[in-house]
Amino acid sequence: MDPVREPSTFGPGARLVAAGAVALAMAFVTGAVTAAGPPGALSWLLLIGTSMLSVLTLVAIQRWARREARGVQDLRCTTEEIARTGDLSLRAEPFGEGSSRPLSAAVNLMLEALEQREQRSQLDLDQLHVRLEQIEHSRRDDRELRERLARAERMESVSYTHLTLPTM
């Protein structure tokens, strides 16, 4: 999927609502024209007014659906970016009035928790590195002390053997 693709069509739910609104308006117009009797100025005026109302309803539904789709699309792009980069500091922008706003807030809350967990893990890892360096330093000191002790013992044994006189 292309993460920057703009939604160009409506989902099945939005199409169904739009088709229902148009069908309802047309049914209303057909009923009104039939009840009005023979075609006249009032019938045509009613037909044109209802058609305009249907178009306006369709435009309003389309704008609402685009706003909601944009919020969900932005959320999807953000989560794909996080998955690709691993950057937990990214946040989803709350958008729209529908389900995308609380969904964005929930994703942001989850990202905050993950980022805090990662920071704690990094702190623990840093502390382990410090402790490991202390242990390595202690081992170096211990090895150095053992080498000094061995040298001192060798020197003492050499010195002692040179000081003793041979017996006759």
Side-chain angles (χ1 to χ4, degrees), residues 81-152:
E81 178 76 12
I82 292 166
R84 193 176 82 251
T85 64
D87 183 5
L88 296 176
S89 66
L90 293 175
R91 294 295 181 262
E93 291 295 324
F95 194 87
E97 297 84 34
S99 60
S100 63
R101 183 175 291 274
L103 185 59
S104 295
V107 167
N108 288 340
L109 187 63
M110 178 189 67
L111 287 169
E112 181 69 30
L114 288 172
E115 188 175 29
Q116 288 175 359
R117 183 181 295 168
E118 185 178 283
Q119 288 171 352
R120 282 192 307 270
S121 295
Q122 186 62 44
L123 181 63
D124 291 345
L125 185 62
D126 291 345
Q127 290 173 349
L128 287 173
H129 279 294
V130 168
R131 181 67 183 134
L132 181 62
E133 287 176 9
Q134 290 171 346
I135 291 171
E136 288 174 353
H137 184 70
S138 177
R139 283 187 174 173
R140 273 194 304 265
D141 288 348
D142 188 42
R143 188 175 49 243
E144 190 176 301
L145 285 174
R146 285 179 192 215
E147 288 172 1
R148 282 185 190 174
L149 181 62
R151 244 190 329 239

Side-chain angles (χ1 to χ4, degrees), residues 50-81:
T50 308
S51 297
M52 288 177 65
L53 181 63
S54 296
V55 169
L56 290 176
T57 302
L58 187 61
V59 167
I61 290 171
Q62 179 184 22
R63 294 185 83 177
W64 171 81
R66 279 192 193 272
R67 256 194 325 269
E68 287 304 309
R70 190 176 317 125
V72 172
Q73 182 70 19
D74 290 345
L75 180 61
R76 192 187 106 213
C77 289
T78 301
T79 55
E80 286 175 350
E81 178 76 12

